[in-house]
Amino acid sequence: MFGNITDVPGIKVGHRENKEGITGCTALLMEGGAVCGVDVRGSAPGTRETDALDPINEIDRVHGICLSGGSAFGLDAATGVMQFLEEQGIGVDAGVAKIPIVPSAVLFDLFIGDPQARPTAQMGYEAAQAAQIGPFQNGNVGAGYGATVGKLAGPEFAMKGGLGSASFAGKEGLIAGAIVAVNAVGDVKNPTTRQILAGARNAQTRQWVDCCAYLEQYAQSEALAGTNTTIGVVALNAKLTKAEAKKIAQLTQNALARTIYPVHTMLDGDTIFVLGTGEQTFALDYLGHLATKVMEEAILAGIQGADKLAGVESYTSIQKIST
């Protein structure tokens, strides 16, 4: 196993970055189609095609998912993923055309790079073109390239976020995988020790600000609405209905609640997609538990894999400072 979401049969992943502009996008391809559900828990989301995933609506399979930086401008990247899939003859057969279904979610990464640089349709196309099964790095890659965390006291206290992925093998051949771009307004903590791994930090004193303590003291945030979010995908080689996928997406948000403080704020757009790619059924609570567990691991992988960028410290850089 590769230790990432491509361990789940039917999932390919590709990335593209604009390293000068400090932004990027990540494409997931499900060329055979996958049942998909979504849960949008943050109050400032940037999404595309999520209404189609409502269990009462007709579309029952998706062919790709695009995670992107660039705020709402970054939704253009999904157009490139669609174009690539259309060229492969993949999509819903509408008689006169095959239409790929590619839901998308974006994060705001305009603080530390060029605010005029956003993932384009061409970048989305190239990410889809590069999609494959196999290893890829965590941290400063794809949709997590310009991600930051710990902005509640103001962006000057932020640390580097990133993109992370993980997988677990379950019972009877079940594999759960997750991929996530962590760009939260809050701090990211180890869910077992509650130790802050990355978050609001005073660079001069090297002391944690602690976003929750800051909120309690000042009763307000210095962050701006829509400038933060955690967006991700869980895939399971299980047979799911759209309603089941949506419920698992809701349960998976518990992973964010166990690692990000505060979470699901008015300033975040937290969005989780869940994919079912298999034909074997499992108990829903079992799937929800594994989905939550693997998403926790992916969040930690994204933070612990991030490197210092554009002067913004990361988990790895402050470990070097402390030693």
Side-chain angles (χ1 to χ4, degrees):
M1 293 178 70
F2 303 109
N4 64 45
I5 196 170
T6 68
D7 288 325
V8 180
I11 306 294
K12 295 180 179 179
V13 173
H15 313 281
R16 275 295 176 268
E17 299 85 29
N18 177 339
K19 294 187 177 181
E20 292 73 31
I22 310 185
T23 190
C25 61
T26 295
L28 288 81
L29 303 188
M30 293 70 69
E31 295 164 342
V35 173
C36 187
V38 66
D39 183 71
V40 180
R41 192 66 56 95
S43 295
T47 59
R48 167 172 164 166
E49 291 273 43
T50 51
D51 281 352
L53 304 181
D54 190 305
I56 68 171
N57 290 334
E58 175 67 19
I59 293 296
D60 65 349
R61 301 184 81 78
V62 303
H63 308 95
I65 291 178
C66 186
L67 306 178
S68 179
S71 189
F73 299 105
L75 290 169
D76 281 350
T79 299
V81 180
M82 285 188 70
Q83 180 186 347
F84 175 81
L85 289 169
E86 182 188 24
E87 290 175 1
Q88 312 308 307
I90 296 168
V92 175
D93 191 346
V96 294
K98 286 192 175 179
I99 304 172
I101 306 301
V102 183
S104 178
V106 295
L107 58 80
F108 184 101
D109 58 0
L110 309 183
F111 282 131
I112 67 171
D114 179 354
Q116 299 300 311
R118 299 102 182 221
T120 61
Q122 181 61 32
M123 286 178 64
Y125 183 94
E126 292 172 359
Q129 194 174 40
Q132 60 185 351
I133 298 167
F136 54 84
Q137 74 178 75
N138 292 314
N140 298 3
V141 63
Y145 192 74
T148 51
V149 298
K151 293 161 280 188
L152 193 136
E156 65 271 24
F157 295 102
M159 283 181 60
K160 192 70 183 64
L163 181 131
S165 190
S167 67
F168 286 133
K171 299 289 187 181
E172 300 178 20
L174 178 68
I175 301 174
I179 190 168
V180 62
V182 189
N183 190 62
V185 72
D187 303 318
V188 178
K189 297 183 181 183
N190 181 304
T192 302
T193 66
R194 298 293 179 90
Q195 174 191 7
I196 298 177
L197 303 178
R201 183 174 180 270
N202 187 312
Q204 281 68 49
T205 66
R206 300 181 181 176
Q207 298 296 310
W208 298 113
V209 174
D210 192 310
C211 287
C212 288
Y214 183 94
L215 194 57
E216 292 168 14
Q217 180 176 357
Y218 295 103
Q220 64 181 16
S221 168
E222 296 303 319
L224 298 174
T227 58
N228 322 273
T229 197
T230 298
I231 53 176
V233 182
V234 168
L236 302 153
N237 63 330
K239 185 176 183 179
L240 299 176
T241 65
K242 285 174 70 177
E244 289 169 337
K246 181 178 180 66
K247 185 61 184 178
I248 294 168
Q250 291 176 341
L251 294 171
T252 303
Q253 295 279 8
N254 291 331
L256 278 62
R258 293 173 188 168
T259 54
I260 300 171
Y261 296 78
V263 72
H264 304 146
T265 72
M266 299 301 293
L267 310 170
D268 289 290
D270 305 324
T271 301
I272 300 294
F273 299 95
V274 167
L275 300 167
T277 68
E279 294 299 325
Q280 188 173 355
T281 59
F282 296 87
L284 191 63
D285 285 336
Y286 175 58
L287 295 176
H289 170 72
L290 282 194
T292 303
K293 184 178 178 181
V294 76
M295 180 56 76
E296 284 183 27
E297 291 299 318
I299 290 168
L300 298 183
I303 293 300
Q304 293 174 326
D307 294 316
K308 183 176 180 179
L309 185 65
V312 179
E313 299 285 359
S314 69
Y315 172 84
T316 55
S317 69
I318 66 169
Q319 296 303 305
K320 292 175 183 176
I321 292 170
S322 63
T323 56

